[in-house]
Amino acid sequence: MLAVCYRLQVERRGHRPQSDPGLDDRIARAARWLTSPSAKPGLLLFGRPGNGKTTLAQAIAQLINAVYDSALSYESKHVECVHATELTEAARADRSERLAAIRRAELLFIDDLGMEPSTVKSWGNEVSPLVDVLYYRYDRQLWTLATSNLVNDGDITRRYGVRIADRFSEMFDLLGFDNGSYRPHL
């Protein structure tokens, strides 16, 4: 089912899905993470730009939303999807209700960790909304799906500091994307 959702995400953008063994393996690994017990409440898809991380994360969200919005489910669940920059924009605009809703979401997908400004000024105070959200979710072990172009522990440590990098290793199962870009190049 996840492979079908992935294909639909690619087709929604007007492209044809490309088949390769690495992609099939990543979809299978993500499906195992979804269906198997894990000590980690999060999955971090990481790698270079254009190699399918966001597409796979959107497919995961689509699958979960479809399953829980069907006759197969007795409970309602929804994956809250946000881009990392939305967190800083919400903090800058003092939209604390939106930030609180993101922080508390039962199921959260954050796209493009590392693209957001590290800190923003809100009423003269310097805040780090993404770090705040990750601390909150880590403390409560909440289901969190994320994508990032930060490709190794050193990148994460330089970007967010050793405290968050250490929590990443406990919070997230890692799924690396080492293939080239699927995007057409000029």
Side-chain angles (χ1 to χ4, degrees):
M1 288 177 56
L2 185 55
V4 170
C5 289
Y6 184 91
R7 188 188 83 239
L8 291 171
Q9 287 295 322
V10 172
E11 290 172 351
R12 184 179 61 85
R13 288 195 206 109
H15 299 290
R16 291 187 131 165
Q18 297 182 18
S19 180
D20 68 65
L23 174 61
D24 295 340
D25 178 62
R26 287 185 295 277
I27 291 171
R29 288 176 57 197
R32 277 192 301 277
W33 177 80
L34 280 169
T35 59
S36 302
S38 174
K40 299 181 181 185
L43 179 64
L44 176 64
L45 311 177
F46 67 95
R48 301 280 176 217
N51 59 12
K53 299 175 302 295
T54 297
T55 302
L56 182 53
Q58 289 169 336
I60 291 169
Q62 177 185 11
L63 177 60
I64 290 170
N65 292 343
V67 167
Y68 281 100
D69 190 28
S70 74
L72 302 173
S73 178
Y74 294 109
E75 56 185 316
S76 179
K77 292 183 187 274
H78 175 78
V79 178
E80 180 73 30
C81 301
V82 298
H83 193 276
T85 58
E86 182 183 341
L87 297 169
T88 54
E89 290 166 11
R92 191 176 290 129
D94 196 32
R95 294 187 355 236
S96 58
E97 290 176 14
R98 175 67 179 138
L99 281 172
I102 292 168
R103 187 181 307 121
R104 290 188 314 261
E106 181 180 7
L107 307 171
L108 180 64
F109 161 40
I110 305 172
D111 193 24
D112 271 339
L113 292 178
M115 292 298 298
E116 78 288 347
S118 298
T119 60
V120 295
K121 294 263 187 195
S122 177
W123 294 96
N125 297 314
E126 199 165 279
V127 295
S128 302
L130 182 92
V131 170
D132 294 342
V133 166
L134 290 175
Y135 272 128
Y136 182 93
R137 299 188 70 75
Y138 168 81
D139 287 343
R140 289 154 184 84
Q141 295 293 285
L142 296 173
W143 190 98
T144 308
L145 174 64
T147 65
S148 181
N149 292 335
L150 302 174
V151 295
N152 61 48
D153 289 341
D155 290 344
I156 292 168
T157 301
R158 279 187 293 284
R159 177 75 174 143
Y160 297 111
V162 70
R163 291 173 51 99
I164 284 290
D166 189 52
R167 283 166 174 80
F168 265 48
S169 62
E170 185 178 352
M171 182 176 180
F172 290 109
D173 278 326
L174 304 176
L175 181 51
F177 287 61
D178 56 3
N179 55 299
S181 177
Y182 289 126
R183 293 187 180 116
H185 291 89
L186 301 175

